[in-house]
Amino acid sequence: MNTQHDPKAPGDESGAGGNGADSAAPAPTAAASAATPSDTARLDAAAEGETRPNQIGDPAVLDGTRRWLERAVIGLNLCPFAKAVYVRNQVRIVVSEAPNAEVWFAEAEREMELLAETSADIIDTTLLVHPKLLRDFMDFNEFVGIVEERLEELELDGVLQVASFHPRFQFDGTAPDEIGNYTNRSPWPTLHLIREASIDRAVESMPDTDEIWKRNVATMEALGYDGWNALWNDDPEGAH
C-alpha cells in the first residue's frame, strides 16, 4: 500500500516542524471529484456478511481506518495495489491499546514476526494503528526509525518493509501545509508492514511504480483542501 518517499527526518530544520495540521490551510487552487459513492458501495458490498478475522481492536478506530482506506487510499487510487488485497480481507488491521511507545514497539515486533511467518493468502499486509500515542509527527517518525532498526535485527530486511502514515505527516523538504503531504495523512498514527515479495509483484505488473507518488501529489493538488475535507464530512475524526 505504501507509495511514499522519505518523510521529514527527525532534527531536520528545513521547513517548519511536523505539526503542520495545526496551521490553517490555504485556499484550494483546484477542485476535483473524490472517490465516487459507487466505489465505496462496491467495497462495502464485497465485505458484507464476511467476518474480518484480521481486524482487531476498538471498533470505532477500525471503522475510521477502513473509511480512510476506502475513501482515500483506494478511493483516490493513491495505492493501485491496495484494493485487491483489501476486498479479499488480506489486510490485517490491529488497533493497539499500548500504554506507551515501548509496549507498542513490542507489539510491532510481534506483528513483524507474525506477518513473516504467515501465508500471504491469509495476511498480505498489516496496519498497526494507535489512536492515542505519538500524535506529534516528529516523535512518531523517530519511532518508525527504531522499528525499522528492529526489523533489520530480526533479519527481516529483504522480507518486509516498514512504511508510515500520520495525521500530520510531512515529507522531507515540504512545508507543513502542502497538500502533497496529505497522501500519507491518516486518522491516527499508523505503521504499515509490507511484504517485499508483494512490492516485487507490483513492480512487475506496473513498471512505472516510481511515478506513483508524483501522480498522488498531482491528485491531491487537483482535489484541493476542500475536496479532501469533503471526504470526511460524515466522519468526526476524518484523516486531517
Side-chain angles (χ1 to χ4, degrees):
M1 225 173 288
N2 176 52
T3 56
Q4 68 191 58
H5 65 304
D6 290 340
K8 187 175 179 67
D12 186 348
E13 298 302 324
S14 62
N19 296 339
D22 289 340
S23 302
T29 57
S33 59
T36 64
S38 61
D39 289 334
T40 301
R42 188 162 54 249
L43 289 165
D44 289 343
E48 186 176 358
E50 297 182 15
T51 59
R52 293 186 172 100
N54 283 333
Q55 300 188 13
I56 300 167
D58 186 324
V61 179
L62 287 172
D63 285 346
T65 299
R66 286 193 295 264
R67 278 194 296 273
W68 164 66
L69 287 171
E70 293 168 4
R71 299 179 187 184
V73 177
I74 297 172
L76 297 178
N77 201 33
L78 299 179
C79 177
F81 327 115
K83 182 177 178 179
V85 293
Y86 182 75
V87 299
R88 291 198 296 263
N89 290 326
Q90 293 170 325
V91 178
R92 178 173 171 84
I93 306 174
V94 180
V95 179
S96 175
E97 297 180 355
N100 54 54
E102 182 178 358
V103 175
W104 196 25
F105 173 82
E107 293 176 355
E109 179 179 344
R110 290 195 295 271
E111 289 294 333
M112 287 189 287
E113 293 174 330
L114 176 65
L115 182 59
E117 295 168 357
T118 304
S119 168
D121 292 336
I122 299 173
I123 307 173
D124 185 85
T125 193
T126 300
L127 295 173
L128 308 178
V129 184
H130 205 301
K132 296 180 180 179
L133 293 181
L134 301 173
R135 299 292 284 187
D136 179 90
F137 175 63
M138 299 306 289
D139 291 342
F140 175 71
N141 200 32
E142 183 175 354
F143 178 77
V144 173
I146 296 171
V147 172
E148 289 175 330
E149 290 175 0
R150 184 55 181 153
L151 183 144
E152 293 180 2
E153 292 171 355
L154 294 171
E155 298 183 346
L156 291 176
D157 51 321
V159 178
L160 304 178
Q161 282 188 19
V162 181
S164 60
F165 300 90
H166 192 274
R168 295 173 176 173
F169 193 97
Q170 183 180 352
F171 286 113
D172 189 20
T174 67
D177 294 334
E178 287 188 28
I179 191 67
N181 291 321
Y182 285 65
T183 63
N184 284 67
R185 291 203 174 177
S186 55
W188 301 281
T190 300
L191 295 172
H192 182 199
L193 307 181
I194 318 164
R195 294 178 185 270
E196 289 274 10
S198 296
I199 295 173
D200 292 341
R201 286 195 300 272
V203 169
E204 291 175 1
S205 64
M206 184 173 293
D208 64 341
T209 50
D210 288 343
E211 298 298 313
I212 291 176
W213 74 267
K214 295 180 182 178
R215 292 203 304 269
N216 287 348
V217 171
T219 295
M220 297 308 301
E221 289 175 345
L223 185 68
Y225 297 98
D226 285 350
W228 175 261
N229 290 332
L231 294 176
W232 323 109
N233 282 343
D234 61 342
D235 185 352
E237 276 291 338
H240 305 85

